[in-house]
Amino acid sequence: MQEVQCYCQDCCSGAEALHAASVVMRDFRIPNVLTRNGAEGKYVIVDLEFAGPDKHLWTLECLQDWDDHTLNQEGQYDTLSDMYQIGKLIEGLPFWRSGVRPPALLSFVDGLKSKQLSASEALQHVWITDCC
């Protein structure tokens, strides 16, 4: 489970760096998070071709993994949309189907998918801080 925690931490760290520059990834999916130099527990976000400015109206460019909850109420893709997509990404990882989901993980994913956690806040969540 520590490997999953490190994966989540690295996704949130990458999002935090992008968001600090007012950039959103827009395409957080499993194929876009790779192991860095083959090192276990070290991941990097790749394929930033769809990255763009925060709070931009992307309505004509919906990506394949977006759903009705991805955009904010104004129809914009914002930093919390990235966090929502990370929550969906976690639910798509193979371990999720195993049914082994500690309460801290469920709380973490719920915070992401309910758009209650920014990248910085996610990195302070107990699921992450008990990690690497």
Side-chain angles (χ1 to χ4, degrees):
M1 200 54 65
Q2 183 176 1
E3 188 70 19
V4 174
Q5 287 173 296
C6 292
Y7 185 93
C8 294
Q9 181 183 42
D10 289 350
C11 285
C12 292
S13 292
E16 182 181 47
L18 289 171
H19 298 170
S22 297
V23 172
V24 288
M25 166 66 169
R26 296 195 327 128
D27 197 21
F28 271 104
R29 295 180 301 118
I30 293 169
N32 293 341
V33 181
L34 301 178
T35 303
R36 185 175 25 206
N37 296 328
E40 187 174 316
K42 301 293 181 187
Y43 299 91
V44 63
I45 299 166
V46 298
D47 194 2
L48 297 173
E49 75 178 273
F50 293 110
D54 180 24
K55 296 184 181 169
H56 182 77
L57 291 173
W58 299 102
T59 54
L60 299 178
E61 294 185 63
C62 293
L63 301 183
Q64 74 180 25
D65 201 39
W66 291 12
D67 63 27
D68 292 341
H69 304 289
T70 301
L71 302 178
N72 68 19
Q73 292 179 340
E74 290 79 36
Q76 300 168 325
Y77 192 104
D78 61 15
T79 58
L80 292 177
S81 301
D82 267 351
M83 303 316 293
Y84 173 79
Q85 291 300 115
I86 291 172
K88 286 180 51 180
L89 177 152
I90 294 166
E91 290 178 337
L93 293 172
F95 89 93
W96 192 265
R97 289 185 285 271
S98 74
V100 178
R101 300 178 198 138
L105 170 61
L106 293 175
S107 168
F108 180 71
V109 171
D110 181 60
L112 296 174
K113 291 192 66 186
S114 64
K115 298 185 177 183
Q116 299 300 308
L117 293 175
S118 68
S120 297
E121 292 166 335
L123 289 167
Q124 299 305 312
H125 192 279
V126 66
W127 171 250
I128 299 297
T129 59
D130 283 353
C131 170
C132 315

